[in-house]
Amino acid sequence: DAVRIPVTVSVGFWDNLTLGVTVPITRQRTEVSTFFNPTNSNVGVSPTIDDITQVNSFLENLNSAESELSNIIGDLCSPSRGSSQCLEAYKVLRESQVFREALDQSYTGFGVFPLAGSATGNLLELRLNTLSTAHSYLGVNSFPTTIPLATNLITQEHYQSLITNPSYGVDALSLESQLRPWTFGDIEFFSNFRILSKTQLKSEGETSSSDNINYSVGVGGLVRLGTGQSDLANNLVDVGSGDGQNDLEIKVFANLSDANLWSVWFEASYGLQRPTTVIRRIALPHETFPPSSTTQLVNWTPGNYKQLRFSPRYQLTRELTFLGDTRYFNKESDHYSNDSLSDCNLSVCLDPEPLQHETGQNLLDVGGGFIFSKRFPRNSRPLEFRLLYRKAVWGNGGRTPKTSLVEFGIQLFGGC
């Protein structure tokens, strides 16, 4: 969850221009709960931890068998590369190489490995025996016949270290509940300009009529500075205080009201999000623990966004107004590209395209609340209190949060 305290100061010039600034103070809290249950485990402590010598010997024997098969292939294929024996030998060699490369990555990259006697362990042994038979049929007798599997169950300590120990590949902060300190979010400078308006207060006891209908139409602009902190690459549950890049936003707004009775507020805005450089782990959204080797400096251009907001209001008394609030938000997909300052050679940099997946968003939330306005003491300038609740009722996009929001505000009016 996040607490956001936007401190806004706005100043009106003449009757139609308002300039202001919003400084948000934010704090994020993330709750994480994990459960360790070794019962019916199908993986255990990787053999590279218990007996690295045995694993290295096994992988070396696989490599030696492949080298021996390569020499045999040279003899088999010299008369005709299209013969059935030549093609079959090539197929066996390729299957053996794929098997060895997968094992090599699994042994070294995760800290866990299939347990001996588990379904996965039995399938690995079956695959090894099949390849051993195929090699033997082609005259290679050095192919290993036993595969090192995990024999020890994972302990609680080992489980906790799977993403924090650099030797296991992930090298991230531990999964635990976190409370960020109070910090600044993205500071906003805004302006609103009223183009057309009609304002007439209805006298007490006067009935409603078309002559009492007021309206206001205007345009606005906003510059949002990237003063907030974006998500940290080595914290897999981090929620930043801002995007860390600059936005430009334009909007049109309109208000229609029956003086001292009801009003309808409408607002449409379009935001242009500017690019920045960020550090990211390049992985698809479903990859929960991407390895640290995927960490890279990339150019990030967040997708532009559109927002529609509709808010009907009914003034129950002079002080109390009830309101509804409906908001539709749409954001285009983000774009990522490699940065020229990245410490990887651009010819071997990872393609950041996976980061773009599921970054488009659609969200509809509805809610309501009330506004209470009163003068303390009488004849002083009004003090306004606002309470609003909104809940997401529809949305799509893999990174669209299903949110509930409670908003409380105090507005002070002053003048000269």
Side-chain angles (χ1 to χ4, degrees):
D1 61 57
V3 177
R4 184 175 186 267
I5 304 175
V7 180
T8 300
V9 177
S10 58
V11 180
F13 295 89
W14 307 289
D15 290 331
N16 56 0
L17 176 64
T18 301
L19 301 178
V21 59
T22 298
V23 180
I25 304 171
T26 69
R27 186 178 71 176
Q28 291 76 32
R29 182 173 65 93
T30 305
E31 278 193 7
V32 178
S33 177
T34 61
F35 180 64
F36 175 70
N37 179 16
T39 305
N40 300 322
S41 297
N42 58 4
V43 295
V45 179
S46 175
T48 55
I49 299 172
D50 290 337
D51 192 349
I52 185 64
T53 303
Q54 181 189 18
V55 174
N56 289 338
S57 176
F58 169 72
L59 294 175
E60 289 172 1
N61 289 338
L62 283 179
N63 193 57
S64 297
E66 290 170 7
S67 298
E68 187 177 346
L69 180 57
S70 295
N71 295 330
I72 293 175
I73 288 175
D75 297 333
L76 289 175
C77 297
S78 57
S80 173
R81 300 186 65 87
S83 66
S84 59
Q85 279 190 321
C86 177
L87 295 176
E88 180 63 24
Y90 265 121
K91 179 182 177 181
V92 172
L93 177 61
R94 182 55 190 154
E95 290 177 352
S96 178
Q97 290 172 337
V98 171
F99 183 64
R100 175 177 52 81
E101 291 168 0
L103 285 176
D104 187 40
Q105 181 182 8
S106 299
Y107 277 129
T108 58
F110 305 102
V112 297
F113 202 78
L115 273 169
S118 67
T120 306
N122 292 338
L123 286 174
L124 287 174
E125 290 181 328
L126 178 61
R127 184 62 178 153
L128 184 76
N129 291 335
T130 301
L131 287 172
S132 179
T133 301
H135 277 72
S136 179
Y137 177 77
L138 293 169
V140 178
N141 297 316
S142 60
F143 197 88
T145 56
T146 58
I147 179 173
L149 296 171
T151 57
N152 295 320
L153 290 175
I154 297 174
T155 63
Q156 177 78 31
E157 181 181 3
H158 184 71
Y159 167 72
Q160 294 288 352
S161 69
L162 289 177
I163 70 166
T164 60
N165 191 324
S167 63
Y168 301 153
V170 179
D171 192 16
L173 296 179
S174 61
L175 290 181
E176 56 186 19
S177 297
Q178 300 171 17
L179 179 63
R180 269 194 172 218
W182 290 100
T183 185
F184 289 115
D186 293 339
I187 297 176
E188 301 172 350
F189 294 90
F190 63 88
S191 65
N192 295 311
F193 183 78
R194 189 170 55 198
I195 302 174
L196 300 171
S197 68
K198 174 195 171 186
T199 303
Q200 176 181 332
L201 294 178
K202 185 172 63 175
S203 302
E204 190 172 347
E206 183 181 351
T207 60
S208 177
S209 70
S210 59
D211 292 336
N212 295 320
I213 301 300
N214 298 327
Y215 59 84
S216 177
V217 179
V219 296
L222 178 147
V223 176
R224 184 179 297 111
L225 303 181
T227 51
Q229 170 66 57
S230 62
D231 298 353
L232 302 175
N234 67 334
N235 189 333
L236 304 181
V237 297
D238 178 52
V239 179
S241 62
D243 287 342
Q245 44 76 231
N246 301 329
D247 298 341
L248 301 175
E249 182 180 301
I250 57 174
K251 68 178 180 180
V252 296
F253 56 86
N255 186 59
L256 184 68
S257 66
D258 181 353
N260 302 325
L261 185 60
W262 58 264
S263 66
V264 177
W265 174 269
F266 174 80
E267 181 180 295
S269 58
Y270 182 83
L272 178 67
Q273 304 203 80
R274 306 302 301 153
T276 187
T277 56
V278 292
I279 298 176
R280 291 285 187 266
R281 295 190 180 215
I282 298 177
L284 291 167
H286 68 268
E287 296 182 56
T288 311
F289 304 113
S292 60
S293 59
T294 64
T295 303
Q296 198 166 288
L297 183 69
V298 293
N299 294 318
W300 173 43
T301 305
N304 297 335
Y305 62 87
K306 299 179 285 290
Q307 180 171 275
L308 301 176
R309 194 165 185 174
F310 175 75
S311 178
R313 308 180 182 193
Y314 182 79
Q315 189 167 343
L316 188 64
T317 67
R318 290 183 64 88
E319 293 85 12
L320 185 62
T321 300
F322 286 104
L323 74 152
D325 192 31
T326 301
R327 182 183 70 122
Y328 171 72
F329 177 80
N330 167 266
K331 186 181 81 68
E332 301 170 2
S333 296
D334 298 349
H335 177 72
Y336 288 87
S337 62
N338 285 319
D339 187 82
S340 59
L341 298 179
S342 179
D343 56 2
C344 61
N345 186 301
L346 287 180
S347 62
V348 296
C349 280
L350 295 175
D351 183 359
E353 189 271 340
L355 295 174
Q356 300 172 182
H357 289 215
E358 301 187 13
T359 54
Q361 294 185 11
N362 284 286
L363 180 66
L364 176 67
D365 56 26
V366 297
F370 66 86
I371 298 174
F372 182 81
S373 179
K374 194 171 180 63
R375 298 176 185 271
F376 300 99
R378 184 176 294 274
N379 298 326
S380 66
R381 296 191 176 274
L383 179 65
E384 184 178 283
F385 299 89
R386 181 180 69 258
L387 181 64
L388 178 67
Y389 173 78
R390 288 206 312 265
K391 182 178 179 61
V393 296
W394 173 85
N396 58 51
R399 301 180 185 178
T400 305
K402 185 177 182 180
T403 56
S404 295
L405 180 143
V406 177
E407 179 181 313
F408 174 73
I410 301 175
Q411 190 167 10
L412 306 174
F413 294 88
C416 55

